[in-house]
Amino acid sequence: MFRKAIHASGVLAGLGVLWLRTLGRRNAPGVPAKDIRRILILGYAAIGDCIFLLPALRCLRLLFPKAKIVFMGPCYPTTEELVPAMAFADEIWEFEDSGTRDMKTEIARKIVRGRFDAVIMSHATSARFFIPAILDIPVRIGHCRPLIAPRKGWSWARYALWRLRRGLISDEFERRLALNRQVRVAEDSEHTVDRNLRLIRALGCELPLTAANPPDIPETSEQARSAEKNMEGIDRLRAVGLHIGSPKSQYGKIWAAEKWAGVCRKLSERHGVQIVLLGGPDEEDQAARFLAALGAPCLNLAGRLGLMETFAVVRRCRLFLGNDTGLSKAAMAMGVPTAAVWGPSDRPGYGVFWDKEKHLEIFRPLACSPCVRMGLRAEGSGVINFATCGHHACLEQLAAAEVFSAISAKYGSLFA
């Protein structure tokens, strides 16, 4: 508790310094869109967030073909593989988001040396990490979240303390001080693709009619050969990809590997599908649990492929199954039919966006779900969330037989 108080006092002191530094800058005249020549994108590297940012990056490239666009993101496969492959950015700058003070200072200096005309920051990006370095950039665009909670029976003092705590946790106060073109996140469940496109519109540009189209994720001949080699012996007409996700998910959104094994075993028995298990190197234990419970043949590629190689395998699947993970969103973007299990996550904000009829969302319509929105869990008077509910019913009540029935009803004809 003492450490938390010290940390909070430090953040408040930093806010005071930031307020002084932003005096006279917030309302400074911005640069007209026609004069913007250097643009910095402060990206977030989670696969799903990056997939849903790609349409905005594509629009930016179309609207500013002669501008120098720099994408800065943490060291992660999306920054290292996906963003370079899309060719929307002229340069990619990587950083360690848990790095040392010296490293953060060097990042700040690099941003200052870049002499950018505009910076764009989505809600998923940690503003606190970057704000001191971007204050001299003329156009500073980013999402700002609402700070509203149910307050039935709350005193104004309690509500004010809640807003203070929420604003400190979410770095919302820093955003509102530093950004001079704020894009307020809608109160309703606006999809992240639309939310990100509004960042580009804030530059003063009309978006092209194709703005919300799915990103055209490329595939090299080497990646194609890798996918073909790894899927040797798999009948492509019966290939079903599966990504369970990391059990370390901070939002508790992963439906159990053993339950997925039950679904896949029944799909194999009923429809003769061939399961292709995918995932990152930190998911090998999860894969082992799945394989032990499956009791049927399975091609296990978890931890064995790079990100773009994994996408190439997903592209060759007839159907893709998963939880609320980045690979499920990549499958949607590539037009592969999907079935995804949802728990506490914001399904309207992060779920199906393209070709909705081709995809299936499986969830329990509980009054408390979703309880996570934009990376923050629901809080307020009488509000419960995945960390406090004690039952996690949104996932625990989903039986393997129920999920199998939903998938079989929608996609069984694919394997007839």
Side-chain angles (χ1 to χ4, degrees):
M1 184 64 71
F2 179 72
R3 289 183 179 179
K4 289 183 178 180
I6 293 294
H7 175 72
S9 63
V11 173
L12 288 171
L15 282 171
V17 173
L18 178 61
W19 178 76
L20 291 173
R21 289 188 63 190
T22 55
L23 285 177
R25 289 175 173 163
R26 280 182 50 76
N27 297 318
V31 178
K34 64 182 180 63
D35 294 331
I36 291 176
R37 295 289 181 266
R38 300 175 66 84
I39 304 171
L40 175 64
I41 306 294
L42 296 177
Y44 180 68
I47 296 172
D49 290 282
C50 192
I51 291 289
F52 290 150
L53 183 63
L54 291 178
L57 296 182
R58 176 183 57 208
C59 286
L60 191 66
R61 182 79 281 172
L62 290 173
L63 294 167
F64 296 90
K66 297 182 180 180
K68 180 174 182 178
I69 299 175
V70 175
F71 182 94
M72 175 175 274
C75 300
Y76 197 70
T78 45
T79 308
E80 297 164 353
E81 297 186 51
L82 178 58
V83 176
M86 300 303 297
F88 296 147
D90 299 290
E91 291 185 16
I92 311 292
W93 294 356
E94 292 185 86
F95 66 89
E96 291 283 354
D97 55 359
S98 58
T100 64
R101 182 183 296 272
D102 288 344
M103 188 212 65
K104 293 178 181 180
T105 300
E106 180 54 35
I107 289 172
R109 288 173 179 166
K110 192 171 185 178
I111 292 175
V112 171
R113 289 195 299 266
R115 302 178 65 84
F116 294 101
D117 301 310
V119 59
I120 299 174
M121 177 192 307
S122 78
H123 73 86
T125 304
S126 174
R128 191 167 291 151
F129 191 89
F130 296 105
I131 277 177
I134 69 172
L135 291 178
D136 288 322
I137 298 176
V139 177
R140 303 184 296 277
I141 298 172
H143 288 130
C144 288
R145 303 178 180 92
L147 290 175
I148 300 173
R151 63 175 196 269
K152 297 177 183 178
W154 283 17
S155 66
W156 282 105
R158 182 180 178 186
Y159 184 56
L161 286 173
W162 180 90
R163 284 174 60 90
L164 175 62
R165 176 179 173 273
R166 188 75 157 191
L168 292 176
I169 290 173
S170 65
D171 64 34
E172 186 57 34
F173 297 138
E174 289 98 326
R175 287 175 175 267
R176 297 188 184 189
L177 282 170
L179 300 173
N180 56 13
R181 295 193 190 179
Q182 299 178 7
V183 176
R184 294 299 179 108
V185 172
E187 293 292 333
D188 58 0
S189 294
E190 178 184 32
H191 197 280
T192 307
V193 171
D194 289 326
R195 188 182 298 146
N196 289 334
L197 287 172
R198 288 201 289 125
L199 294 171
I200 309 305
R201 194 177 290 118
L203 285 165
C205 303
E206 284 297 320
L207 300 182
L209 295 176
T210 58
N213 285 0
D216 185 12
I217 298 175
E219 178 180 286
T220 66
S221 57
E222 183 179 350
Q223 290 156 6
R225 285 194 298 271
S226 171
E228 296 291 345
K229 181 178 179 181
N230 279 291
M231 295 182 74
E232 282 180 351
I234 296 291
D235 182 352
R236 293 268 293 277
L237 295 178
R238 299 193 174 276
V240 174
L242 171 66
H243 181 225
I244 301 171
S246 173
K248 298 177 182 177
S249 164
Q250 61 179 316
Y251 305 125
K253 62 182 183 178
I254 303 302
W255 199 51
E258 291 79 5
K259 291 187 175 183
W260 274 116
V263 171
C264 292
R265 183 168 56 251
K266 290 184 178 181
L267 286 172
S268 298
E269 294 169 354
R270 179 76 59 86
H271 301 291
V273 307
Q274 295 177 277
I275 303 299
V276 181
L277 182 63
L278 297 164
D282 62 336
E283 299 171 30
E284 291 181 349
D285 288 346
Q286 186 90 307
R289 287 170 49 200
F290 170 81
L291 294 170
L294 179 63
C298 171
L299 174 59
N300 178 21
L301 298 178
R304 302 181 187 181
L305 305 176
L307 182 63
M308 299 303 287
E309 289 178 306
T310 299
F311 285 178
V313 171
V314 172
R315 198 189 303 270
R316 286 161 174 77
C317 290
R318 194 79 186 277
L319 174 65
F320 190 84
L321 312 178
N323 292 306
D324 169 26
T325 70
L327 286 188
S328 294
K329 295 167 178 60
M332 295 175 196
M334 292 187 288
V336 179
T338 66
V341 168
W342 287 80
S345 305
D346 179 12
R347 181 175 49 83
Y350 292 88
V352 176
F353 185 78
W354 302 289
D355 297 325
K356 294 185 178 182
E357 293 303 314
K358 292 180 66 173
H359 308 289
L360 174 65
E361 295 179 327
I362 305 170
F363 60 95
R364 283 277 177 172
L366 304 180
C368 57
S369 182
C371 61
V372 176
R373 184 165 178 252
M374 290 180 292
L376 297 174
R377 60 195 185 203
E379 294 180 346
S381 179
V383 174
I384 61 174
N385 58 56
F386 72 93
T388 62
C389 67
H391 54 70
H392 219 198
C394 55
L395 290 176
E396 291 299 325
Q397 288 184 3
L398 273 175
E402 181 180 354
V403 173
F404 163 75
S405 295
I407 295 172
S408 185
K410 185 171 179 67
Y411 295 119
S413 60
L414 288 177
F415 309 104

